[in-house]
């Protein structure tokens, strides 16, 4: 296998890791308005991801950095081309991180309510916009012969990409609901399960439409296999949730995300950003990658450190494995 | 304004604002992580309450600070692609590697272990919990190393070749990129400056509390004990780090004289080549004519700073610019950075940095304990120290008051010094974005419209300004409140097996 293909897979894996982990972070953020009924319940939700959200977000930075190192042209075209949506996402991620850390620092009700509102919107918008961005990457955008995106911001809001955005929004919210059911105890856990069923059905409808559209438009044999896995996993997640097997439900919703994102990358390969203007101007794994030496260096680094990261991040989840409920939330904001 | 000029100007302002803002938090994060780790180590080893309270107190301020450091760092990772896509295409093969290593090796490390440290007080055994904050401290330093390796490559490109087919930079030797002298000296200088910053921060806040205690406004003696320990610890670090900053700064200067003579000539407003070259104390220049109209100088010092010898020749701005124009084409004026900013940036960096070093040196002497004090001047560990000039002589009331005030003021000085140091480094190499290889004006994204760039600049500047107000208010609130002496460590040392059933409904030790 060429190192370029290996790095295409590795970047797909980093994005899958990001959407798997930050997917439920976004979902939990959105559920602070859909599911939680009062401040105590909102705090339960926020604290299910408290120790881990920061580490989860680093998957995005690593995906960005890895793209810069392995496919500089992809990095340059993508982020200069999608300037405005990326700016909105960055603003959301900034405000969101600060919200988690600062919400509890003052005892004022207004202060806390404002940060809680911020958590909801800054979780919802990126969950939607990432889907729009990937919809456009797969569909192809107006790239000229100098590898520059020459369309406008409004061109990115086409029906296919918007459907992609709604799909990721629903999928992440469902993933978050299943995660909440797994991590909480008491009343909130049961309501999370009920809500997961509704969200799962909405997700199933949207995901089916989006993935089948993708398959028809740009699919191949491999992407069809991934599509089938994604659909089956979603059905399995719904079933497991229905019978109260929360661990299995979470596992399957994770597989759904992995297979759906995997499918997008499989239908993309060997392109990394197709051009709608001229097939010859498309960015591919071979015309946008770094030199063999750089790829070799980065391969060694990735092979050594990725398993290590998985190991200690996994350990973190084990340390904080206990369910939490309203009774675990300390009464007042401390000091 | 010419469109190409507007492109470059707006992108430069955006990168400058976001990076200077980011770097207000970074040095505090790097040093406070280690300072908190040391205090927690002292607590784990001795079990003394004052160390626990100090750990919690500085830990709290550390967390308020790191939150901003983390979120402003996210922008940095994507800005290269957004605003500087032609640069990204040109250097990605080389520049991307340290950036990706930083994320994979350092970012994961610090973000994961900071979560364990914040939430792990009642979940992890004491020593493992302590190891977590040390991991964070190592992660922050590693991250600084990788990003400075990337920056140093832009200052002095090594370990690459220009691909004859694509005309782009291509990595040929990663070890050279990671170990060249520019990188190593830059890392040493940045880390020592970071520790000076954190130490001055600790000294300033501790001084505030001790000065209040001295005036009788603060009566909680346990609080005073924690602050007194912090003060002494902060002073000691500031002295060592200040000395390290000066030494590394001198070394870095010599490296720069060799690699980027224009930057150093600009720092000294040295228009014409001279031997021996003087150190400029004060200058008012006439940039358009290429000379100083007012100049106050110390002869020979610049030659010494450049080459360790008082009479050697140091090239001047006009001659370097003419040589660069001959080599790369264009007018000599194209190769002269903003002299006003580099000249004064360099002076403000040294002035503010060294002021806090000297203040710490004096503080360390006047607050010394036991050994060189007459018995009647010794104070208890939970009382504010007397400021002693000699064995028997206490500072008078006027100087005592001002010493404590300077102690408080000094916490802001290194922050100013850091900013001007970076502004000097980055603006001193203009017009180059990659020294000698790529000009800044050729680096911008050609397809991002001026309107979109203005949107990016305005959005980020406004957001950062609002967050700065919130952050400063929060820091001030908690810094003024001082350590919460009612707080107790977990009653029993937690085990990794997890809690037993009997305390399954106990509230969490920490929750957002």
């Amino acid at each position: 296998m060429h190192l370029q293909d290996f790095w295409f897979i590795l970047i797909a894996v980093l994005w899958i890791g990001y959407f798997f982990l930050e997917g439920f972070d976004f979902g939990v953020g959105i559920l602070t308005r859909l599911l939680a009924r009062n401040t105590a319940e909102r705090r339960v939700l926020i604290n299910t991801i408290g120790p881990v959200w920061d580490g989860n977000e680093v998957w995005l930075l690593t995906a960005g950095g890895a793209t810069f190192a392995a496919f500089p042209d992809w990095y340059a075209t993508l982020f200069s081309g999608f300037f405005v949506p990326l700016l909105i996402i960055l603003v959301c991620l900034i405000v969101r991180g600060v919200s988690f850390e600062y919400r509890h620092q003052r005892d004022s009700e207004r202060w806390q309510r404002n940060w809680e509102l911020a958590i909801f919107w800054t979780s919802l918008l990126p969950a939607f916009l990432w889907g729009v961005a990937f919809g456009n990457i797969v569909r192809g955008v107006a790239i000229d012969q100098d590898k520059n995106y020459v369309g406008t911001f409004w061109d990115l809001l086409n029906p296919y990409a918007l459907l992609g955005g709604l799909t990721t929004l629903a999928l992440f919210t469902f993933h978050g609901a299943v995660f909440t059911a797994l991590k909480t105890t008491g009343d909130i856990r049961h309501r999370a399960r009920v809500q997961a069923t509704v969200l799962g059905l909405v997700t199933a409808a949207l995901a089916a439409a989006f993935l089948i559209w993708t398959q028809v438009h740009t699919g191949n044999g491999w992407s069809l296999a991934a599509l089938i896995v994604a659909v089956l996993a979603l059905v399995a997640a719904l079933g497991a949730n229905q019978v109260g097997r929360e661990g299995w439900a979470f596992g399957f919703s994770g597989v759904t995300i992995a297979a759906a994102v995997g499918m997008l990358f499989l239908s993309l390969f060997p392109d990394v950003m197709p051009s709608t203007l001229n097939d010859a101007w498309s960015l591919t794994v071979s015309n946008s990658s770094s030199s063999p030496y750089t790829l070799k260096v980065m391969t060694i680094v990735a092979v050594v450190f990725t398993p290590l990261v998985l190991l200690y991040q996994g350990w973190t989840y084990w340390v904080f494995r206990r369910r939490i409920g309203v009774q675990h939330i300390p009464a007042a904001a401390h000091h | 304004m010419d469109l190409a000029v507007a492109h470059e100007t707006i992108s430069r302002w955006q990168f400058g604002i976001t990076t200077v803002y980011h770097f207000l938090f970074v040095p505090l994060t790097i040093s406070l992580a280690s300072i908190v780790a040391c205090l927690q180590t002292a607590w784990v080893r001795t079990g003394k309450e004052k160390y626990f309270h100090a750990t919690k107190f500085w830990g709290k301020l550390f967390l308020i600070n790191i939150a901003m450091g983390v979120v402003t760092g996210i922008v940095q990772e994507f800005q290269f692609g957004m605003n500087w896509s032609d640069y990204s295409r040109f250097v990605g093969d080389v520049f991307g590697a340290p950036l990706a290593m930083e994320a994979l090796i350092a970012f994961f490390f610090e973000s994961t272990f900071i979560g364990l440290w914040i939430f792990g007080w009642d979940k992890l055994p004491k020593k493992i919990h302590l190891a977590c904050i040390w991991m964070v401290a190592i992660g922050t330093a590693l991250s600084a190393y990788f990003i400075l390796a990337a920056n140093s490559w832009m200052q002095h490109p090594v370990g690459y070749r220009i691909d004859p087919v694509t005309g782009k930079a291509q990595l040929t030797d990663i070890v050279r990129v990671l170990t060249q002298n520019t990188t190593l000296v830059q890392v040493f200088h940045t880390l020592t400056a970071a520790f000076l910053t954190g130490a001055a921060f600790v000294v300033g806040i501790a001084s505030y509390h001790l000065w209040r205690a001295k005036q009788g406004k603060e009566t909680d003696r346990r609080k005073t004990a924690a602050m007194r320990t912090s003060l002494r610890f902060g002073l000691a670090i500031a002295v060592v780090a200040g000395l390290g900053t000066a030494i590394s700064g001198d070394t870095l200067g010599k490296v720069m004289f060799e690699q980027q003579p224009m930057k150093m000539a600009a720092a000294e407003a040295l228009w014409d080549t001279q031997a021996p070259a003087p150190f400029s104390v004060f200058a008012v220049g006439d940039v358009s004519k290429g000379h100083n109209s007012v100049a106050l100088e110390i002869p020979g010092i610049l030659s010494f700073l450049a080459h360790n010898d008082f009479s050697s020749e140091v090239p001047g701005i006009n001659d370097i610019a003419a040589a660069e124009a001959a080599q790369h084409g264009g007018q000599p004026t194209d190769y002269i950075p903003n002299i006003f900013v580099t000249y004064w940036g360099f002076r403000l960096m040294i002035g503010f940095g060294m002021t806090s070093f000297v203040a710490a040196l004096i503080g360390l002497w006047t607050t010394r304990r036991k050994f060189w004090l007459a018995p009647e001047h010794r104070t208890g560990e939970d009382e504010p120290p007397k400021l002693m000039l000699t064995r028997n002589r206490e500072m008078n009331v006027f100087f005592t008051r001002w010493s404590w005030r300077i102690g408080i003021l000094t916490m802001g000085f290194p922050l100013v010094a850091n900013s001007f140091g970076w502004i000097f480094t980055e603006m001193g190499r203009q017009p180059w974005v990659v020294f000698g290889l790529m000009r800044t004006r050729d680096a911008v994204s050609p397809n991002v419209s001026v309107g979109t760039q203005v949107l990016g600049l305005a959005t980020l500047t406004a957001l950062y300004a609002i967050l700065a107000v919130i952050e400063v208010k929060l820091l001030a609130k908690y810094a003024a409140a001082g350590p919460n002496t009612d707080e107790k460590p977990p009653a029993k040392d937690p085990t990794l097996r997890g809690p037993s059933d009997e305390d399954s409904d106990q509230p969490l030790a920490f929750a957002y």
Side-chain angles (χ1 to χ4, degrees):
Chain A
M1 184 166 57
H2 284 290
L3 276 182
Q4 293 160 334
D5 301 343
F6 172 78
W7 270 92
F8 181 83
I9 296 171
L10 201 63
I11 283 168
V13 168
L14 288 170
W15 280 106
I16 289 171
Y18 176 61
F19 287 135
F20 179 99
L21 295 168
E22 188 104 306
F24 64 73
D25 288 352
F26 287 145
V28 166
I30 294 165
L31 290 173
T32 54
R33 281 228 111 47
L34 299 189
L35 180 66
R37 287 185 172 150
N38 52 41
T39 310
E41 289 195 353
R42 273 190 288 278
R43 289 186 70 191
V44 170
L45 285 176
I46 295 169
N47 279 290
T48 58
I49 55 169
V52 294
W53 71 267
D54 194 2
N56 294 345
E57 202 165 270
V58 172
W59 285 83
L60 170 67
L61 298 187
T62 311
T67 311
F68 200 172
F71 300 100
D73 279 315
W74 188 7
Y75 173 84
T77 307
L78 177 60
F79 294 137
S80 66
F82 294 8
F83 190 102
V84 176
L86 191 66
L87 181 69
I88 300 172
I89 289 175
L90 288 178
V91 169
C92 286
L93 295 183
I94 291 172
V95 175
R96 191 163 168 271
V98 173
S99 303
F100 288 136
E101 300 288 346
Y102 284 5
R103 194 205 70 91
H104 65 107
Q105 304 279 13
R106 267 180 195 278
D107 253 340
S108 136
E109 198 182 315
R110 211 180 108 214
W111 168 274
Q112 301 198 345
R113 203 179 50 232
N114 286 341
W115 287 122
E116 284 165 14
L117 222 65
I119 288 175
F120 171 74
W121 284 106
T122 56
S123 299
L124 185 135
L125 277 173
F128 173 71
L129 286 174
W130 280 126
V132 174
F134 270 86
N136 278 303
I137 293 175
V138 172
R139 173 178 168 271
V141 287
I143 295 173
D144 69 6
Q145 70 257 48
D146 296 324
K147 300 183 176 174
N148 283 317
Y149 173 68
V150 290
T152 67
F153 168 64
W154 305 109
D155 295 344
L156 299 176
L157 303 180
N158 54 74
Y160 172 75
L162 290 175
L163 180 61
L166 289 176
T167 306
T168 51
L169 179 60
L171 181 56
F172 293 162
T173 315
F174 169 65
H175 192 44
V178 175
F179 176 78
T180 304
L182 177 65
K183 289 295 294 178
T184 56
T185 172
D187 188 35
I188 198 165
R189 171 181 176 186
H190 297 289
R191 276 188 287 128
R193 274 204 343 236
V194 174
Q195 210 158 65
T197 306
V198 180
L199 288 166
L201 293 172
V202 175
T203 306
L206 288 167
F210 178 65
L211 296 182
I212 290 169
W213 191 345
T214 308
Q215 180 63 29
V216 171
H217 186 62
T218 48
N220 52 43
W222 289 103
S223 70
L224 182 65
L227 189 156
I228 292 167
V229 172
V231 171
L232 289 179
L234 187 56
V235 172
L238 267 168
N241 179 63
Q242 208 58 38
V243 297
R245 299 301 296 268
E246 288 151 347
W248 283 99
F250 177 69
F252 280 123
S253 71
V255 173
T256 309
I257 291 182
V261 178
M263 183 202 164
L264 296 182
F265 276 90
L266 285 168
S267 61
L268 198 57
F269 186 83
D271 286 348
V272 293
M273 268 187 103
S275 168
T276 50
L277 300 179
N278 184 338
D279 279 345
W281 298 342
S282 294
L283 272 68
T284 66
V285 288
S286 39
N287 75 8
S288 62
S289 80
S290 289
S291 63
Y293 175 75
T294 299
L295 292 178
K296 203 174 89 189
V297 169
M298 292 314 300
T299 302
I300 294 168
V301 174
V303 165
V304 172
F305 285 96
T306 313
L308 209 64
V309 169
L310 289 171
L311 210 66
Y312 63 68
Q313 284 208 336
W315 182 67
T316 309
Y317 282 90
W318 185 79
V319 168
F320 299 107
R321 66 196 176 282
R322 288 189 64 207
R323 292 174 179 272
I324 54 173
V326 280
Q327 71 270 30
H328 297 115
I329 301 300
H334 31 90
H335 185 44
Chain B
M1 196 167 13
D2 178 12
L3 216 58
V5 176
H7 256 112
E8 184 192 347
T9 310
I10 299 166
S11 286
R12 277 182 64 185
W13 272 104
Q14 183 185 316
F15 202 93
I17 289 171
T18 52
T19 311
V20 168
Y21 190 68
H22 180 56
F23 205 71
L24 287 177
F25 307 104
V26 170
L28 276 175
T29 301
I30 292 173
S31 52
L32 282 179
S34 297
I35 290 171
V36 171
C38 289
L39 288 166
Q40 191 173 344
T41 308
W43 171 61
V44 169
R45 290 183 62 99
T46 65
K48 282 190 189 163
E49 207 185 23
K50 64 174 183 179
Y51 292 124
F52 175 74
H53 292 143
T55 305
K56 282 294 226 180
F57 175 64
W58 299 113
K60 176 110 192 165
L61 298 181
F62 167 65
L63 291 180
I64 292 174
N65 178 72
I66 197 178
M68 293 295 288
V70 166
V71 297
T72 54
I74 304 173
V75 177
Q76 304 300 92
E77 190 85 16
F78 297 100
Q79 258 194 117
F80 302 109
M82 292 168 81
N83 287 64
W84 306 95
S85 64
D86 275 0
Y87 164 80
S88 305
R89 291 181 208 283
F90 178 68
V91 300
D93 202 280
V94 188
F95 190 83
L99 221 63
M101 288 182 197
E102 184 190 22
L104 201 55
I105 298 171
F107 287 167
F108 269 128
F109 216 63
E110 47 179 336
S111 62
T112 308
F113 284 99
I114 191 78
L116 282 158
W117 187 75
I118 301 174
F119 285 84
W121 283 93
D122 61 343
K123 299 270 189 300
L124 294 168
K126 251 188 203 169
K127 285 185 180 166
I128 293 182
H129 185 250
L130 174 62
C132 289
I133 188 75
W134 277 112
M135 295 288 206
V136 175
I138 295 167
T140 57
L142 272 176
S143 156
Y145 168 71
F146 284 115
I147 199 64
L148 288 170
N151 179 274
S152 298
W153 187 83
M154 296 163 77
Q155 309 277 355
H156 183 242
V158 293
Y160 75 100
R161 65 171 193 140
I162 297 294
D163 186 324
V165 182
T166 61
K168 292 176 187 171
Q170 213 178 59
L171 185 64
T172 55
D173 188 349
I174 185 71
V175 178
R176 273 209 72 192
V177 172
L178 293 177
T179 58
Q180 67 155 324
N181 61 356
T182 325
T183 302
L184 298 180
V185 183
Q186 187 84 268
V187 169
F188 187 40
H189 191 54
T190 308
L191 288 184
T192 47
F195 274 90
L196 180 60
T197 312
F201 183 77
V202 170
V203 167
I205 292 168
S207 295
Y208 169 79
H209 287 285
L210 292 171
W211 177 225
R212 278 174 61 89
K214 191 94 176 166
Q215 294 168 304
K217 289 182 191 156
E218 174 66 73
T219 50
D220 184 344
R221 295 175 80 105
R222 289 180 300 174
K223 215 182 240 186
T224 307
M227 286 298 106
R228 182 171 172 151
T229 303
S230 302
L231 177 75
R232 294 281 302 168
F233 188 44
L235 289 169
I237 297 175
V239 168
V240 176
L243 209 60
T245 313
I247 294 168
S248 58
D250 177 59
T251 317
L252 188 57
K254 290 186 171 45
V255 171
M256 286 296 136
F257 270 113
E258 178 196 321
Q259 295 172 351
Q260 293 181 24
M262 177 58 95
K263 186 187 280 184
M264 297 317 289
E268 289 301 326
L270 182 75
W271 292 97
D272 300 306
T273 305
Q274 290 184 44
F279 180 89
S280 170
V281 180
F282 179 84
V284 178
D286 188 338
V287 174
S288 59
K289 297 213 179 78
H291 71 83
N292 293 326
S293 32
V294 181
L296 184 63
E297 294 169 337
I298 311 173
I301 298 292
L302 190 61
S303 298
F304 182 78
L305 288 179
H307 309 111
N308 270 341
D309 137 21
F310 286 101
S311 59
S312 62
E313 182 179 271
V314 178
I317 297 167
N318 294 329
D319 303 295
I320 304 168
E324 283 206 58
Q327 189 185 350
H328 301 285
Q331 296 300 314
T333 46
D334 296 346
Y335 298 90
I336 301 179
N338 185 322
I339 302 293
F340 180 79
V341 174
T342 40
Y343 181 84
W344 288 108
F346 190 63
R347 268 145 199 78
L348 290 171
M349 167 186 76
I350 296 176
F352 277 99
M354 286 303 107
T355 303
S356 44
F357 164 66
V358 172
L361 200 61
I362 295 170
L364 202 59
W365 170 254
T366 53
T367 62
R368 69 202 180 277
R369 282 165 50 185
K370 284 186 195 160
F371 308 111
W372 295 303
L373 290 184
E376 67 269 27
H377 288 299
R378 291 177 191 163
T379 47
E381 279 197 357
D382 53 0
E383 291 172 297
K386 290 182 181 178
L387 301 183
M388 300 299 294
L389 289 170
T390 62
R391 196 178 139 79
N392 289 307
R393 180 135 174 258
E394 198 178 344
M395 238 185 230
N396 71 22
V397 178
F398 178 80
F399 280 111
T400 303
R401 190 190 310 145
W402 273 101
S403 296
W404 285 113
R405 279 184 191 159
I406 289 169
I408 297 167
L409 278 179
T410 193
M411 74 173 166
F413 290 177
L415 289 174
V416 180
N418 292 333
S419 299
F420 280 110
W422 272 109
I423 289 169
F424 162 65
T425 303
E426 296 299 286
M427 289 187 66
R429 68 175 150 120
Q430 295 304 330
W432 299 105
V433 65
V434 183
F435 195 77
L437 290 183
M438 184 186 224
R439 267 172 263 209
T440 312
R441 64 159 190 256
D442 302 323
V444 293
S445 302
N447 56 326
V448 176
S449 72
V450 169
T452 307
Q453 285 186 319
V454 171
L455 177 75
L457 173 64
T459 308
L460 291 173
T461 308
L463 178 64
Y464 281 12
I466 295 168
L467 292 178
V469 174
I470 295 171
E471 136 111 16
V472 168
K473 278 190 171 172
L474 267 186
L475 274 179
K477 176 191 168 199
Y478 283 101
N484 177 10
T485 47
D486 296 333
E487 206 166 358
K488 295 268 174 287
K492 57 178 182 195
D493 198 14
T495 58
L496 262 187
R497 286 172 182 278
S500 56
D501 286 337
E502 62 192 274
D503 50 21
S504 64
D505 277 347
Q506 284 289 308
L508 300 164
F510 178 90
Y512 276 142

